[in-house]
Amino acid sequence: MHPACCPPGWRDNEFMVGDERLGLGEYLRRRRSEMTPRDRPGASALSHRRVPGLRRQELADVAGISVEYYTRLEQGRASRPSREILTALARAFRLSDAERDHLFRLADERPPQPRAPAAEIRPGLRHLLDSLDDTMPVTIHDGRLDMLAFNVAAADLFGPMFGDGPYGHNIVHQAFTSAGLREVLGNEGVEQIARVAAAELRKALSLYPDDERLRSLFHELSTSSPEFGSQWERGEIGTWRSAMKRVNHPTRGLLAFDSEMLHDPENDHWVMLFTPRTLSPTPLSTRQQAGDEKGGQHAPAHFPVRPSAWL
């Protein structure tokens, strides 16, 4: 008897254990039953059926495979489908990325890797970024380590985040090329940011091995930065989800933050939150009011350098 929280057919984890072909067949049958005739190209919107879903022949036509082979897939009698067949089925069923990945896993195949991170930030993340303007610094970068957005609090704390040139928005490039980082971060901070940057770039290259921008970035750093070469030789890969960071602010002195990384896997976007650990910066709204009372304009304090988003 399966738990009440689980859907029918999930008994004993049958989708992922044992004969994967049976789990795949049941998944295909369920998805087909949820489709309507209007999902079939050229079908009339007024089409009606006594039995819900598309017929096997109709689904096979949409996927571009033979109905005989599709029938064997549903019945668990077909050999392991190729990645091309799975891609055609995912397209025919109009699966989301998560549903497509599940289909591939049921067929004992590794889900396809995305070609590139999404270009647009989800509206919810954009709202989160803006709503924390007076609370904490927040930055968003993508899986290729390009800075996508940051809020007012982050701009006030870190100063200019973008440099010049083709990699001016890339935080790995900044980590190895920005002048004056040691003055802002100290010896330990500079070592930390360089180590994390190299490990992050290795992960990005493994996710997007054919990305020309990342390959060019790697080539440039390899030929121009001895420090990058030293860090790369460590062979580390991955993401530091949490860390304590110290920043030597030009007007507020030494500040400490707990940084936390949150991931939007569908778009491959990373949200970085900086929570004050020791000294709480004066809220921006308070500084703005003080500036208005003096008849002046609020101007965020900026570093004389362009530090990375990993500060």
Side-chain angles (χ1 to χ4, degrees), residues 64-75:
I65 62 178
S66 72
V67 65
E68 292 81 8
Y69 181 67
Y70 178 76
T71 299
R72 293 201 303 272
L73 282 174
E74 281 200 359
Q75 295 173 347

Side-chain angles (χ1 to χ4, degrees), residues 14-308:
E14 66 182 2
F15 283 165
M16 306 304 290
V17 178
D19 193 342
E20 290 84 357
R21 291 178 298 176
L22 297 177
L24 174 62
E26 181 171 348
Y27 186 67
L28 294 176
R29 289 193 298 273
R30 288 181 179 178
R31 299 300 311 196
R32 182 170 60 84
S33 70
E34 294 170 357
M35 299 185 72
T36 61
R38 71 184 62 187
D39 292 319
R40 177 170 52 88
S44 169
L46 300 178
S47 298
H48 294 285
R49 299 284 176 86
R50 291 183 179 180
V51 179
L54 292 184
R55 297 187 179 99
R56 286 172 176 166
Q57 179 68 62
E58 293 170 333
L59 194 286
D61 289 343
V62 175
I65 62 178
S66 72
V67 65
E68 292 81 8
Y69 181 67
Y70 178 76
T71 299
R72 293 201 303 272
L73 282 174
E74 281 200 359
Q75 295 173 347
R77 298 187 295 108
S79 58
R80 179 177 173 179
S82 67
R83 297 182 66 85
E84 291 74 19
I85 291 293
L86 293 172
T87 299
L89 290 172
R91 183 170 56 250
F93 285 120
R94 302 179 182 178
L95 300 183
S96 67
D97 288 346
E99 293 166 339
R100 177 207 61 196
D101 292 352
H102 182 62
L103 173 68
F104 270 70
R105 293 189 183 98
L106 287 175
D108 198 25
E109 282 283 351
R110 178 178 296 180
Q113 293 290 345
R115 294 182 179 179
E120 298 294 329
I121 299 173
R122 289 194 291 111
L125 283 185
R126 177 72 68 176
H127 178 71
L128 172 67
L129 192 79
D130 296 337
S131 65
L132 294 175
D133 272 345
D134 290 352
T135 306
M136 68 172 63
V138 183
T139 64
I140 299 178
H141 64 271
D142 65 19
R144 289 188 296 191
L145 297 312
D146 284 329
M147 181 72 73
L148 301 179
F150 52 90
N151 67 355
V152 174
D156 180 80
L157 179 64
F158 297 138
M161 292 191 184
F162 295 148
D164 300 322
Y167 306 111
H169 290 199
N170 188 274
I171 51 184
V172 175
H173 188 265
Q174 290 189 33
F176 290 101
T177 61
S178 293
L181 280 181
R182 196 169 302 275
E183 177 184 348
V184 177
L185 302 179
N187 292 334
E188 183 178 345
V190 168
E191 172 69 19
Q192 180 193 57
I193 192 175
R195 182 177 178 183
V196 172
E200 288 277 9
L201 181 57
R202 189 184 298 273
K203 186 185 73 171
L205 283 167
S206 70
L207 287 174
Y208 306 108
D210 299 323
D211 189 279
E212 288 299 326
R213 175 176 168 79
L214 285 175
R215 293 164 67 93
S216 296
L217 172 63
F218 172 76
H219 177 74
E220 177 173 316
L221 291 177
S222 298
T223 56
S224 65
S225 173
E227 174 62 16
F228 174 77
S230 176
Q231 294 295 339
W232 188 262
E233 287 300 317
R234 288 176 176 265
E236 295 180 325
I237 183 171
T239 298
W240 275 250
R241 297 297 184 97
S242 302
M244 196 277 283
K245 301 178 185 294
R246 292 186 176 89
V247 178
N248 185 24
H249 194 275
T251 61
R252 284 179 273 166
L254 184 63
L255 303 176
F257 294 86
D258 287 311
S259 64
E260 191 70 29
M261 298 266 284
L262 307 178
H263 189 217
D264 172 10
E266 186 170 356
N267 294 319
D268 197 12
H269 290 167
W270 292 87
V271 182
M272 196 163 194
L273 307 171
F274 298 86
T275 305
R277 185 170 187 174
T278 52
L279 300 178
S280 298
T282 305
L284 295 178
S285 58
T286 303
R287 296 200 300 277
Q288 289 170 340
Q289 292 173 5
D292 292 341
E293 291 172 359
K294 296 178 181 179
Q297 297 293 324
H298 170 69
H302 292 311
F303 289 126
V305 297
R306 293 186 171 93
S308 163

